Amino acid sequence: MMSRTEPMILSAFTEAGSSTINHLSWLYPSNDPQFSSPRFWTHLARTLDEGGFDLLFFDDRLAMPGVYEGSVEPAVRNGARVVKFDLLGILSLVAGCTSRLGLGATYSTTYYSPYHVARAFATLDHMSEGRAAWNIVTSLNQNEADNFGVSEIVPHDERYDRAEEFVEIVTGLWDSWDEDAVVDDRIRRIFADPKSVHELNYHGTYWSARGPLTVPRSPQRWPLLLQAGQSGRGMTFGARWGDMIFFNPGANVVRPGQDLVAAQRTYAEIAGHMAAAGREPESFRLLPPVFTVVAESDELAREKHRLLTAAPSLEMGLIVMSEVMNFDFGAVSPDTPITDELLAACSSRGLLESKVKVLDPEGTGTVTVRDVCSYSGLGNGHNFVGTGPAVADELQEWFEERGCDGFAFTATHLPGGYEDFVRLVIPELRRRCVVPDVPERGPLRQRLGFDRRFQQSPVQRAES
Ligand SMILES: Cc1cc2nc3c(=O)[nH]c(=O)nc-3n(C[C@H](O)[C@H](O)[C@H](O)COP(=O)(O)O)c2cc1C
């Protein structure tokens, strides 16, 4: 008996490059290596669109990993997040061959400008008939700063202060054309009513923009806003702006096998931030990133999982960890214990601490860099492994027990990881009425039931 009436949200979460979030995926014989070909992306998007996914969402990083050993050489050799296409190029391509799939891209509030982001996403929203989504990130990495000629990364909380102003401008610009502004009156020679197109005249501490935007009101008015801040400041920001929040329950895992409990705890924590910000529960959705390995039999699925995780790469783990932590783990022995001093040198201390906590719940202080960096799994996120019905059972349990409102599925390899899911799991979810049999069409925001408070933009709009 279904205890929830709203459908489970199915998002694909991958990278616009040579690997998935499972950075070893390019090594698998069944992984398609043609990532530079348009057909690779159109096939992937059609698979998701026709299969019943709600969203294709790309992460991003504006630099190759170059912190480990102070060089990009190990990353290039290992194929560690070194190919990153511009996301909106790919999403514009696939908008034309899909009809209901949401199209999500990560764009940085630190290295892009608000006007540029507002225009790019409003354009994608028009070209996809209301399916654009923006994952708002503040960017945390020194390599990114180096690529944009910034000598030092902006401190953590200040990045979010800048992001608040950034999003105020972006949403203000999206609101700068009223819905009925274009009149196209050829007799009176009036293209658009000047009273319906507004300057913004925003002057903040960090950003300014005059407006109006050069793109008329888009089908969703505001493309869907995605956010994944995990710190207190990040969650407050997400609680103000996010429609869909991605969260990592890792910090709340205290015992192996307790992932659902951790997800429930993190869900309750974020829902608390939302309530404190005055948000109604139906105005947001919370999704954890997860992997699924699914096959026709349980033995086959377990064997696939074993093969996918059989060749861990310590170096891959060290490269990726060094990038996220802004600390060169090549400068210390892998057998160094993770002490307070080491934690203090890392820029995402909380993330590393949470990994240490999972490995050493008693706090014995014996966890080493090798333990944390050994790339023994598919990446961050719970692994659901089994037959279609078994995986559907678990997903349904997480959903109904309020561990989440849906999932950001990170594929083991492309396109097979998603093809298996569409073939074996989605029919099971449909049979249980967890997702609709015939998915709705129309603008993403409306289709997913986001009851956004559109009555007043947070920016005081200056009438022109
Ligand atoms: C599912 C998920 C996806 C994320 N995608 C990106 C990304 O594409 N680019 C990025 O710079 N950060 C990404 N992040 C990092 C977050 O935006 C955030 O910076 C990080 O979780 C640390 O939280 P904090 O910023 O509140 O300290 C992602 C995090 C999660 C959980």
Side-chain angles (χ1 to χ4, degrees), residues 18 20 22 24-34 40 43 293-294 304 307-308 411-420:
S18 49
T20 71
N22 168 24
L24 298 174
S25 60
W26 67 270
L27 287 166
Y28 302 142
S30 52
N31 190 72
D32 183 351
Q34 303 298 323
F40 178 95
H43 173 80
V293 180
V294 60
K304 263 169 86 176
L307 286 172
L308 287 161
T412 49
H413 62 292
L414 290 178
Y418 292 127
E419 287 172 339
D420 289 347

PDB file of all heavy atoms in Angstrom, residues 18 20 22 24-34 40 43 293-294 304 307-308 411-420:
ATOM      1  N   SER A  18      34.311  12.036 -20.198  1.00  0.00           N
ATOM      2  CA  SER A  18      34.740  10.694 -20.564  1.00  0.00           C
ATOM      3  C   SER A  18      34.396   9.632 -19.528  1.00  0.00           C
ATOM      4  O   SER A  18      34.631   8.455 -19.748  1.00  0.00           O
ATOM      5  CB  SER A  18      36.250  10.700 -20.796  1.00  0.00           C
ATOM      6  OG  SER A  18      36.889  11.333 -19.700  1.00  0.00           O
ATOM      7  N   THR A  20      31.678   8.578 -15.900  1.00  0.00           N
ATOM      8  CA  THR A  20      30.529   8.952 -15.075  1.00  0.00           C
ATOM      9  C   THR A  20      31.088   9.407 -13.719  1.00  0.00           C
ATOM     10  O   THR A  20      32.296   9.585 -13.568  1.00  0.00           O
ATOM     11  CB  THR A  20      29.582   7.751 -14.867  1.00  0.00           C
ATOM     12  OG1 THR A  20      30.227   6.816 -13.996  1.00  0.00           O
ATOM     13  CG2 THR A  20      29.231   7.076 -16.183  1.00  0.00           C
ATOM     14  N   ASN A  22      31.390   7.514 -11.406  1.00  0.00           N
ATOM     15  CA  ASN A  22      32.321   6.404 -11.197  1.00  0.00           C
ATOM     16  C   ASN A  22      33.501   6.652 -12.138  1.00  0.00           C
ATOM     17  O   ASN A  22      33.443   6.348 -13.324  1.00  0.00           O
ATOM     18  CB  ASN A  22      31.631   5.077 -11.520  1.00  0.00           C
ATOM     19  CG  ASN A  22      32.632   3.926 -11.607  1.00  0.00           C
ATOM     20  OD1 ASN A  22      33.705   3.987 -11.020  1.00  0.00           O
ATOM     21  ND2 ASN A  22      32.267   2.890 -12.340  1.00  0.00           N
ATOM     22  N   LEU A  24      36.219   5.422 -12.797  1.00  0.00           N
ATOM     23  CA  LEU A  24      36.883   4.315 -13.498  1.00  0.00           C
ATOM     24  C   LEU A  24      36.013   3.766 -14.629  1.00  0.00           C
ATOM     25  O   LEU A  24      36.394   2.803 -15.294  1.00  0.00           O
ATOM     26  CB  LEU A  24      37.207   3.183 -12.509  1.00  0.00           C
ATOM     27  CG  LEU A  24      38.177   3.545 -11.377  1.00  0.00           C
ATOM     28  CD1 LEU A  24      38.310   2.389 -10.389  1.00  0.00           C
ATOM     29  CD2 LEU A  24      39.538   3.895 -11.947  1.00  0.00           C
ATOM     30  N   SER A  25      34.853   4.366 -14.858  1.00  0.00           N
ATOM     31  CA  SER A  25      33.897   3.786 -15.814  1.00  0.00           C
ATOM     32  C   SER A  25      34.472   3.672 -17.218  1.00  0.00           C
ATOM     33  O   SER A  25      34.100   2.772 -17.971  1.00  0.00           O
ATOM     34  CB  SER A  25      32.604   4.605 -15.841  1.00  0.00           C
ATOM     35  OG  SER A  25      32.885   5.928 -16.235  1.00  0.00           O
ATOM     36  N   TRP A  26      35.389   4.596 -17.578  1.00  0.00           N
ATOM     37  CA  TRP A  26      35.923   4.562 -18.952  1.00  0.00           C
ATOM     38  C   TRP A  26      36.727   3.284 -19.224  1.00  0.00           C
ATOM     39  O   TRP A  26      36.940   2.921 -20.376  1.00  0.00           O
ATOM     40  CB  TRP A  26      36.778   5.806 -19.229  1.00  0.00           C
ATOM     41  CG  TRP A  26      38.060   5.887 -18.435  1.00  0.00           C
ATOM     42  CD1 TRP A  26      38.229   6.461 -17.222  1.00  0.00           C
ATOM     43  CD2 TRP A  26      39.341   5.379 -18.819  1.00  0.00           C
ATOM     44  NE1 TRP A  26      39.530   6.353 -16.810  1.00  0.00           N
ATOM     45  CE2 TRP A  26      40.242   5.688 -17.782  1.00  0.00           C
ATOM     46  CE3 TRP A  26      39.829   4.697 -19.943  1.00  0.00           C
ATOM     47  CZ2 TRP A  26      41.584   5.332 -17.818  1.00  0.00           C
ATOM     48  CZ3 TRP A  26      41.176   4.350 -19.989  1.00  0.00           C
ATOM     49  CH2 TRP A  26      42.043   4.668 -18.933  1.00  0.00           C
ATOM     50  N   LEU A  27      37.121   2.584 -18.163  1.00  0.00           N
ATOM     51  CA  LEU A  27      37.928   1.365 -18.332  1.00  0.00           C
ATOM     52  C   LEU A  27      37.091   0.143 -18.718  1.00  0.00           C
ATOM     53  O   LEU A  27      37.631  -0.842 -19.206  1.00  0.00           O
ATOM     54  CB  LEU A  27      38.643   1.031 -17.014  1.00  0.00           C
ATOM     55  CG  LEU A  27      39.819   1.923 -16.618  1.00  0.00           C
ATOM     56  CD1 LEU A  27      40.196   1.682 -15.164  1.00  0.00           C
ATOM     57  CD2 LEU A  27      41.001   1.630 -17.535  1.00  0.00           C
ATOM     58  N   TYR A  28      35.770   0.188 -18.458  1.00  0.00           N
ATOM     59  CA  TYR A  28      34.964  -1.017 -18.657  1.00  0.00           C
ATOM     60  C   TYR A  28      34.757  -1.303 -20.128  1.00  0.00           C
ATOM     61  O   TYR A  28      34.441  -0.401 -20.905  1.00  0.00           O
ATOM     62  CB  TYR A  28      33.592  -0.881 -17.971  1.00  0.00           C
ATOM     63  CG  TYR A  28      33.707  -0.608 -16.500  1.00  0.00           C
ATOM     64  CD1 TYR A  28      32.832   0.256 -15.866  1.00  0.00           C
ATOM     65  CD2 TYR A  28      34.706  -1.198 -15.738  1.00  0.00           C
ATOM     66  CE1 TYR A  28      32.958   0.529 -14.525  1.00  0.00           C
ATOM     67  CE2 TYR A  28      34.837  -0.924 -14.403  1.00  0.00           C
ATOM     68  CZ  TYR A  28      33.974  -0.058 -13.798  1.00  0.00           C
ATOM     69  OH  TYR A  28      34.115   0.215 -12.483  1.00  0.00           O
ATOM     70  N   PRO A  29      34.898  -2.571 -20.533  1.00  0.00           N
ATOM     71  CA  PRO A  29      34.721  -2.914 -21.951  1.00  0.00           C
ATOM     72  C   PRO A  29      33.363  -2.484 -22.492  1.00  0.00           C
ATOM     73  O   PRO A  29      33.251  -2.114 -23.650  1.00  0.00           O
ATOM     74  CB  PRO A  29      34.850  -4.439 -21.966  1.00  0.00           C
ATOM     75  CG  PRO A  29      35.598  -4.782 -20.727  1.00  0.00           C
ATOM     76  CD  PRO A  29      35.265  -3.729 -19.713  1.00  0.00           C
ATOM     77  N   SER A  30      32.334  -2.499 -21.656  1.00  0.00           N
ATOM     78  CA  SER A  30      31.004  -2.160 -22.178  1.00  0.00           C
ATOM     79  C   SER A  30      30.710  -0.659 -22.112  1.00  0.00           C
ATOM     80  O   SER A  30      29.617  -0.226 -22.458  1.00  0.00           O
ATOM     81  CB  SER A  30      29.929  -2.927 -21.409  1.00  0.00           C
ATOM     82  OG  SER A  30      30.108  -2.725 -20.035  1.00  0.00           O
ATOM     83  N   ASN A  31      31.668   0.144 -21.673  1.00  0.00           N
ATOM     84  CA  ASN A  31      31.451   1.599 -21.672  1.00  0.00           C
ATOM     85  C   ASN A  31      31.721   2.147 -23.077  1.00  0.00           C
ATOM     86  O   ASN A  31      32.765   1.871 -23.666  1.00  0.00           O
ATOM     87  CB  ASN A  31      32.406   2.263 -20.665  1.00  0.00           C
ATOM     88  CG  ASN A  31      32.060   3.725 -20.443  1.00  0.00           C
ATOM     89  OD1 ASN A  31      31.057   4.027 -19.821  1.00  0.00           O
ATOM     90  ND2 ASN A  31      32.862   4.625 -20.969  1.00  0.00           N
ATOM     91  N   ASP A  32      30.771   2.902 -23.625  1.00  0.00           N
ATOM     92  CA  ASP A  32      30.938   3.479 -24.958  1.00  0.00           C
ATOM     93  C   ASP A  32      31.987   4.599 -24.893  1.00  0.00           C
ATOM     94  O   ASP A  32      31.804   5.569 -24.167  1.00  0.00           O
ATOM     95  CB  ASP A  32      29.579   4.032 -25.432  1.00  0.00           C
ATOM     96  CG  ASP A  32      29.641   4.578 -26.846  1.00  0.00           C
ATOM     97  OD1 ASP A  32      30.756   4.685 -27.409  1.00  0.00           O
ATOM     98  OD2 ASP A  32      28.570   4.909 -27.389  1.00  0.00           O
ATOM     99  N   PRO A  33      33.073   4.486 -25.661  1.00  0.00           N
ATOM    100  CA  PRO A  33      34.124   5.508 -25.586  1.00  0.00           C
ATOM    101  C   PRO A  33      33.859   6.749 -26.445  1.00  0.00           C
ATOM    102  O   PRO A  33      34.663   7.677 -26.446  1.00  0.00           O
ATOM    103  CB  PRO A  33      35.364   4.756 -26.098  1.00  0.00           C
ATOM    104  CG  PRO A  33      34.829   3.710 -27.018  1.00  0.00           C
ATOM    105  CD  PRO A  33      33.444   3.369 -26.553  1.00  0.00           C
ATOM    106  N   GLN A  34      32.718   6.797 -27.156  1.00  0.00           N
ATOM    107  CA  GLN A  34      32.478   7.888 -28.122  1.00  0.00           C
ATOM    108  C   GLN A  34      31.879   9.136 -27.458  1.00  0.00           C
ATOM    109  O   GLN A  34      30.918   9.715 -27.971  1.00  0.00           O
ATOM    110  CB  GLN A  34      31.534   7.404 -29.230  1.00  0.00           C
ATOM    111  CG  GLN A  34      32.015   6.179 -29.990  1.00  0.00           C
ATOM    112  CD  GLN A  34      33.319   6.441 -30.729  1.00  0.00           C
ATOM    113  OE1 GLN A  34      33.521   7.532 -31.250  1.00  0.00           O
ATOM    114  NE2 GLN A  34      34.203   5.462 -30.739  1.00  0.00           N
ATOM    115  N   PHE A  40      26.391   9.957 -28.991  1.00  0.00           N
ATOM    116  CA  PHE A  40      26.538   9.412 -27.643  1.00  0.00           C
ATOM    117  C   PHE A  40      25.524  10.079 -26.707  1.00  0.00           C
ATOM    118  O   PHE A  40      24.819   9.420 -25.940  1.00  0.00           O
ATOM    119  CB  PHE A  40      27.973   9.698 -27.157  1.00  0.00           C
ATOM    120  CG  PHE A  40      28.289   9.245 -25.761  1.00  0.00           C
ATOM    121  CD1 PHE A  40      28.888   8.008 -25.538  1.00  0.00           C
ATOM    122  CD2 PHE A  40      28.018  10.050 -24.655  1.00  0.00           C
ATOM    123  CE1 PHE A  40      29.211   7.594 -24.247  1.00  0.00           C
ATOM    124  CE2 PHE A  40      28.338   9.647 -23.369  1.00  0.00           C
ATOM    125  CZ  PHE A  40      28.928   8.410 -23.169  1.00  0.00           C
ATOM    126  N   HIS A  43      21.700   9.574 -27.796  1.00  0.00           N
ATOM    127  CA  HIS A  43      21.232   8.227 -27.432  1.00  0.00           C
ATOM    128  C   HIS A  43      20.956   8.158 -25.925  1.00  0.00           C
ATOM    129  O   HIS A  43      19.912   7.652 -25.493  1.00  0.00           O
ATOM    130  CB  HIS A  43      22.265   7.170 -27.826  1.00  0.00           C
ATOM    131  CG  HIS A  43      21.903   5.801 -27.326  1.00  0.00           C
ATOM    132  ND1 HIS A  43      20.972   4.996 -27.962  1.00  0.00           N
ATOM    133  CD2 HIS A  43      22.289   5.110 -26.225  1.00  0.00           C
ATOM    134  CE1 HIS A  43      20.812   3.878 -27.291  1.00  0.00           C
ATOM    135  NE2 HIS A  43      21.601   3.913 -26.220  1.00  0.00           N
ATOM    136  N   VAL A 293      23.231  -1.281  -9.516  1.00  0.00           N
ATOM    137  CA  VAL A 293      23.770  -2.319 -10.397  1.00  0.00           C
ATOM    138  C   VAL A 293      22.686  -3.382 -10.466  1.00  0.00           C
ATOM    139  O   VAL A 293      22.380  -4.051  -9.470  1.00  0.00           O
ATOM    140  CB  VAL A 293      25.077  -2.926  -9.857  1.00  0.00           C
ATOM    141  CG1 VAL A 293      25.593  -4.006 -10.821  1.00  0.00           C
ATOM    142  CG2 VAL A 293      26.133  -1.842  -9.672  1.00  0.00           C
ATOM    143  N   VAL A 294      22.070  -3.522 -11.644  1.00  0.00           N
ATOM    144  CA  VAL A 294      20.882  -4.345 -11.749  1.00  0.00           C
ATOM    145  C   VAL A 294      21.057  -5.356 -12.887  1.00  0.00           C
ATOM    146  O   VAL A 294      21.727  -5.070 -13.876  1.00  0.00           O
ATOM    147  CB  VAL A 294      19.635  -3.428 -11.913  1.00  0.00           C
ATOM    148  CG1 VAL A 294      19.744  -2.574 -13.137  1.00  0.00           C
ATOM    149  CG2 VAL A 294      18.352  -4.204 -11.939  1.00  0.00           C
ATOM    150  N   LYS A 304      28.335  -8.600 -11.392  1.00  0.00           N
ATOM    151  CA  LYS A 304      28.606  -7.334 -12.087  1.00  0.00           C
ATOM    152  C   LYS A 304      29.190  -6.312 -11.111  1.00  0.00           C
ATOM    153  O   LYS A 304      30.173  -5.634 -11.413  1.00  0.00           O
ATOM    154  CB  LYS A 304      27.296  -6.761 -12.670  1.00  0.00           C
ATOM    155  CG  LYS A 304      27.091  -7.091 -14.133  1.00  0.00           C
ATOM    156  CD  LYS A 304      25.696  -6.739 -14.585  1.00  0.00           C
ATOM    157  CE  LYS A 304      25.505  -5.314 -15.030  1.00  0.00           C
ATOM    158  NZ  LYS A 304      24.157  -5.052 -15.551  1.00  0.00           N
ATOM    159  N   LEU A 307      32.744  -7.194 -10.341  1.00  0.00           N
ATOM    160  CA  LEU A 307      33.656  -6.841 -11.431  1.00  0.00           C
ATOM    161  C   LEU A 307      33.880  -5.331 -11.507  1.00  0.00           C
ATOM    162  O   LEU A 307      34.991  -4.871 -11.745  1.00  0.00           O
ATOM    163  CB  LEU A 307      33.091  -7.339 -12.770  1.00  0.00           C
ATOM    164  CG  LEU A 307      33.181  -8.842 -13.003  1.00  0.00           C
ATOM    165  CD1 LEU A 307      32.415  -9.235 -14.261  1.00  0.00           C
ATOM    166  CD2 LEU A 307      34.649  -9.275 -13.136  1.00  0.00           C
ATOM    167  N   LEU A 308      32.793  -4.587 -11.287  1.00  0.00           N
ATOM    168  CA  LEU A 308      32.896  -3.125 -11.376  1.00  0.00           C
ATOM    169  C   LEU A 308      33.767  -2.542 -10.264  1.00  0.00           C
ATOM    170  O   LEU A 308      34.322  -1.454 -10.408  1.00  0.00           O
ATOM    171  CB  LEU A 308      31.493  -2.498 -11.305  1.00  0.00           C
ATOM    172  CG  LEU A 308      30.623  -2.658 -12.558  1.00  0.00           C
ATOM    173  CD1 LEU A 308      29.157  -2.431 -12.237  1.00  0.00           C
ATOM    174  CD2 LEU A 308      31.062  -1.693 -13.645  1.00  0.00           C
ATOM    175  N   ALA A 411      25.437   6.597 -12.887  1.00  0.00           N
ATOM    176  CA  ALA A 411      25.599   5.345 -13.641  1.00  0.00           C
ATOM    177  C   ALA A 411      26.979   4.734 -13.436  1.00  0.00           C
ATOM    178  O   ALA A 411      27.976   5.447 -13.352  1.00  0.00           O
ATOM    179  CB  ALA A 411      25.369   5.600 -15.123  1.00  0.00           C
ATOM    180  N   THR A 412      27.019   3.412 -13.382  1.00  0.00           N
ATOM    181  CA  THR A 412      28.298   2.697 -13.295  1.00  0.00           C
ATOM    182  C   THR A 412      29.092   2.907 -14.575  1.00  0.00           C
ATOM    183  O   THR A 412      30.300   3.033 -14.549  1.00  0.00           O
ATOM    184  CB  THR A 412      28.020   1.202 -13.117  1.00  0.00           C
ATOM    185  OG1 THR A 412      27.065   0.791 -14.113  1.00  0.00           O
ATOM    186  CG2 THR A 412      27.468   0.915 -11.739  1.00  0.00           C
ATOM    187  N   HIS A 413      28.402   2.920 -15.731  1.00  0.00           N
ATOM    188  CA  HIS A 413      29.037   3.144 -17.027  1.00  0.00           C
ATOM    189  C   HIS A 413      27.937   3.605 -17.984  1.00  0.00           C
ATOM    190  O   HIS A 413      26.748   3.522 -17.660  1.00  0.00           O
ATOM    191  CB  HIS A 413      29.716   1.863 -17.531  1.00  0.00           C
ATOM    192  CG  HIS A 413      28.762   0.730 -17.748  1.00  0.00           C
ATOM    193  ND1 HIS A 413      28.105   0.098 -16.717  1.00  0.00           N
ATOM    194  CD2 HIS A 413      28.333   0.110 -18.890  1.00  0.00           C
ATOM    195  CE1 HIS A 413      27.319  -0.850 -17.200  1.00  0.00           C
ATOM    196  NE2 HIS A 413      27.441  -0.865 -18.520  1.00  0.00           N
ATOM    197  N   LEU A 414      28.350   4.122 -19.152  1.00  0.00           N
ATOM    198  CA  LEU A 414      27.361   4.671 -20.093  1.00  0.00           C
ATOM    199  C   LEU A 414      27.398   3.940 -21.440  1.00  0.00           C
ATOM    200  O   LEU A 414      28.477   3.573 -21.890  1.00  0.00           O
ATOM    201  CB  LEU A 414      27.638   6.158 -20.323  1.00  0.00           C
ATOM    202  CG  LEU A 414      27.351   7.074 -19.128  1.00  0.00           C
ATOM    203  CD1 LEU A 414      27.706   8.512 -19.487  1.00  0.00           C
ATOM    204  CD2 LEU A 414      25.907   6.981 -18.669  1.00  0.00           C
ATOM    205  N   PRO A 415      26.263   3.790 -22.091  1.00  0.00           N
ATOM    206  CA  PRO A 415      24.933   4.117 -21.584  1.00  0.00           C
ATOM    207  C   PRO A 415      24.307   2.964 -20.797  1.00  0.00           C
ATOM    208  O   PRO A 415      23.195   3.087 -20.307  1.00  0.00           O
ATOM    209  CB  PRO A 415      24.136   4.392 -22.865  1.00  0.00           C
ATOM    210  CG  PRO A 415      24.748   3.468 -23.873  1.00  0.00           C
ATOM    211  CD  PRO A 415      26.205   3.344 -23.513  1.00  0.00           C
ATOM    212  N   GLY A 416      25.051   1.835 -20.686  1.00  0.00           N
ATOM    213  CA  GLY A 416      24.478   0.598 -20.145  1.00  0.00           C
ATOM    214  C   GLY A 416      23.867   0.728 -18.755  1.00  0.00           C
ATOM    215  O   GLY A 416      22.836   0.111 -18.467  1.00  0.00           O
ATOM    216  N   GLY A 417      24.506   1.520 -17.889  1.00  0.00           N
ATOM    217  CA  GLY A 417      23.998   1.643 -16.516  1.00  0.00           C
ATOM    218  C   GLY A 417      22.549   2.129 -16.516  1.00  0.00           C
ATOM    219  O   GLY A 417      21.700   1.612 -15.773  1.00  0.00           O
ATOM    220  N   TYR A 418      22.262   3.133 -17.377  1.00  0.00           N
ATOM    221  CA  TYR A 418      20.890   3.648 -17.430  1.00  0.00           C
ATOM    222  C   TYR A 418      19.972   2.737 -18.256  1.00  0.00           C
ATOM    223  O   TYR A 418      18.784   2.624 -17.969  1.00  0.00           O
ATOM    224  CB  TYR A 418      20.881   5.074 -17.994  1.00  0.00           C
ATOM    225  CG  TYR A 418      21.528   6.079 -17.056  1.00  0.00           C
ATOM    226  CD1 TYR A 418      22.540   6.929 -17.484  1.00  0.00           C
ATOM    227  CD2 TYR A 418      21.120   6.175 -15.719  1.00  0.00           C
ATOM    228  CE1 TYR A 418      23.137   7.840 -16.624  1.00  0.00           C
ATOM    229  CE2 TYR A 418      21.710   7.081 -14.858  1.00  0.00           C
ATOM    230  CZ  TYR A 418      22.720   7.917 -15.309  1.00  0.00           C
ATOM    231  OH  TYR A 418      23.310   8.811 -14.448  1.00  0.00           O
ATOM    232  N   GLU A 419      20.527   2.096 -19.277  1.00  0.00           N
ATOM    233  CA  GLU A 419      19.687   1.182 -20.084  1.00  0.00           C
ATOM    234  C   GLU A 419      19.164   0.037 -19.209  1.00  0.00           C
ATOM    235  O   GLU A 419      17.993  -0.338 -19.284  1.00  0.00           O
ATOM    236  CB  GLU A 419      20.491   0.626 -21.263  1.00  0.00           C
ATOM    237  CG  GLU A 419      20.728   1.648 -22.345  1.00  0.00           C
ATOM    238  CD  GLU A 419      21.691   1.179 -23.425  1.00  0.00           C
ATOM    239  OE1 GLU A 419      22.492   0.246 -23.177  1.00  0.00           O
ATOM    240  OE2 GLU A 419      21.667   1.761 -24.525  1.00  0.00           O
ATOM    241  N   ASP A 420      20.049  -0.514 -18.367  1.00  0.00           N
ATOM    242  CA  ASP A 420      19.625  -1.600 -17.464  1.00  0.00           C
ATOM    243  C   ASP A 420      18.522  -1.113 -16.528  1.00  0.00           C
ATOM    244  O   ASP A 420      17.555  -1.818 -16.257  1.00  0.00           O
ATOM    245  CB  ASP A 420      20.813  -2.082 -16.607  1.00  0.00           C
ATOM    246  CG  ASP A 420      21.836  -2.849 -17.427  1.00  0.00           C
ATOM    247  OD1 ASP A 420      21.515  -3.221 -18.573  1.00  0.00           O
ATOM    248  OD2 ASP A 420      22.953  -3.058 -16.911  1.00  0.00           O
TER     249      ASP A 420
END
